[in-house]
């Protein structure tokens, strides 16, 4: 059995992607690791990323004080932020950014049930592809399965959040101040769609962080199942 395991490891290190797939197809059902354990291990890794990282984003400043996911103004409106800061209105500019990030924090609270359903749907075939994929292969899978549903959930929450925290008033004040600056072109942005997209990027960014840790750091494999499954890709 030890020789068989060593042979599998050698093949995993030196064969092409198609051959890797064939090797994993032939992994024994008992002894080293069962097919069901591989799928369960991937589910556990994603559950861990969702629980550990996505939950952080739902807290106050979960986006705003996290440089990996902090939502800034879209490129075409970056001039608004700069212009306000240039004339001593940094506090107002910060308030405008904070509103965007608060809306995202509210929206992410709606994501857990959608993620749970997607994680439950992982099959052994999915797990094989994920295990042999890039450091963010599980995150890519989750993105493909949940992005549309999450957008549909996030968008109205963000819109309502803007109303709840007075975003309309804040942005009206911010934009009016900007528009009053001589020699500027007036802007009238609708940021709901933009913030929804940025919130989604933030969620998947943080899940990818956790996935990479589990794949590359043995210390991040906090259960026997994670250690057993991800040892296959080491």
């Amino acid at each position: 059995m030890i020789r068989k395991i060593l042979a599998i490891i050698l093949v995993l290190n030196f064969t092409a992607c198609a051959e890797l797939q064939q090797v994993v197809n032939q992994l024994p059902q008992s002894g080293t690791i069962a097919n069901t354990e591989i799928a369960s291990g991937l589910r556990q890794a994603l559950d861990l990323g969702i629980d550990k990282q996505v939950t952080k984003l739902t807290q106050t400043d979960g986006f705003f004080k996290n440089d990996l996911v902090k939502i800034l103004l879209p490129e075409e409106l970056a001039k608004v932020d700069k212009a306000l800061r240039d004339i001593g209105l940094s506090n107002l500019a910060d308030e405008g950014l904070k509103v965007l990030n608060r809306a995202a924090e509210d929206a992410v609270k709606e994501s857990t049930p959608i993620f749970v359903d997607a994680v439950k749907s992982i099959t052994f075939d999915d797990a094989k592809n994920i295990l042999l994929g890039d450091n963010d292969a599980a995150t890519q899978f989750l993105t493909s399965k949940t992005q549309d549903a999450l957008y549909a959930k996030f968008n109205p929450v963000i819109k309502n959040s803007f109303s709840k925290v007075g975003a309309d008033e804040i942005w009206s004040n911010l934009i009016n101040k900007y528009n009053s600056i001589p020699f500027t072109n007036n802007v009238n942005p609708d940021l709901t769609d933009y913030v929804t997209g940025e919130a989604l990027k933030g969620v998947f960014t943080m899940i990818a962080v956790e996935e990479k840790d589990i794949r590359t750091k043995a210390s991040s494999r906090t259960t026997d199942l994670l250690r057993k499954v991800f040892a296959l890709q080491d």
Side-chain angles (χ1 to χ4, degrees):
M1 178 58 73
I2 292 175
R3 290 181 179 178
K4 187 173 183 180
I5 294 172
L6 289 174
I8 290 173
I9 292 172
L10 288 173
V11 173
L12 285 172
N13 283 330
F14 295 106
T15 58
C17 186
E19 292 168 316
L20 287 175
Q21 194 80 356
Q22 183 178 3
V23 169
V24 178
N25 284 340
Q26 296 172 352
L27 283 172
Q29 293 290 324
S30 60
T32 50
I33 185 168
N35 291 348
T36 54
E37 287 183 293
I38 294 176
S40 295
L42 266 297
R43 292 189 197 104
Q44 192 173 98
L46 282 171
D47 282 337
L48 186 61
I50 293 164
D51 183 61
K52 183 177 178 181
Q53 298 293 351
V54 176
T55 301
K56 291 179 183 178
L57 298 178
T58 67
Q59 300 168 4
T60 300
D61 289 330
F63 275 84
F64 189 66
K65 290 188 177 179
N66 182 340
D67 288 340
L68 284 177
V69 297
K70 181 178 180 179
I71 299 176
L72 303 174
L73 289 177
E75 184 177 352
E76 63 270 20
L77 293 179
K79 59 186 179 181
V80 178
D81 186 85
K82 183 178 185 304
L84 291 172
R85 295 181 191 280
D86 287 346
I87 62 172
L89 293 174
S90 293
N91 288 340
L92 183 61
D94 285 340
E95 279 303 304
L97 291 181
K98 195 173 291 185
V99 166
L100 306 186
N101 287 270
R102 289 288 182 269
E105 291 155 14
D106 282 347
V108 174
K109 295 173 185 176
E110 304 290 317
S111 65
T112 301
I114 295 171
F115 282 137
V116 168
D117 287 344
V119 171
K120 285 180 179 177
S121 75
I122 292 177
T123 66
F124 174 62
D125 285 338
D126 294 329
K128 288 186 301 181
N129 293 328
I130 292 168
L131 190 64
L132 298 176
D134 296 332
N135 281 342
D136 65 345
T139 305
Q140 290 179 36
F141 169 85
L142 203 56
T143 302
S144 69
K145 292 291 185 180
T146 65
Q147 192 163 28
D148 290 344
L150 288 174
Y151 184 95
K153 278 281 189 183
F154 283 15
N155 192 271
V157 173
I158 287 170
K159 186 174 182 178
N160 289 337
S161 182
F162 282 167
S163 299
K164 181 178 70 176
V165 299
D168 293 341
E169 182 178 348
I170 291 172
W171 272 101
S172 176
N173 187 22
L174 188 155
I175 296 301
N176 286 337
K177 289 284 187 182
Y178 173 78
N179 287 343
S180 69
I181 299 171
F183 309 112
T184 58
N185 296 321
N186 288 358
V187 294
N188 183 27
D190 177 5
L191 295 178
T192 300
D193 178 71
Y194 170 75
V195 173
T196 301
E198 292 300 296
L200 288 171
K201 288 180 188 177
V203 166
F204 294 122
T205 293
M206 297 311 297
I207 292 174
V209 166
E210 188 65 22
E211 179 185 357
K212 184 177 180 181
D213 278 351
I214 291 172
R215 284 183 180 273
T216 60
K217 299 177 184 176
S219 59
S220 295
R221 300 167 190 172
T222 54
T223 69
D224 289 340
L225 183 59
L226 288 177
R227 286 187 284 271
K228 192 173 184 180
V229 170
F230 282 92
L232 292 173
Q233 56 109 69
D234 287 344

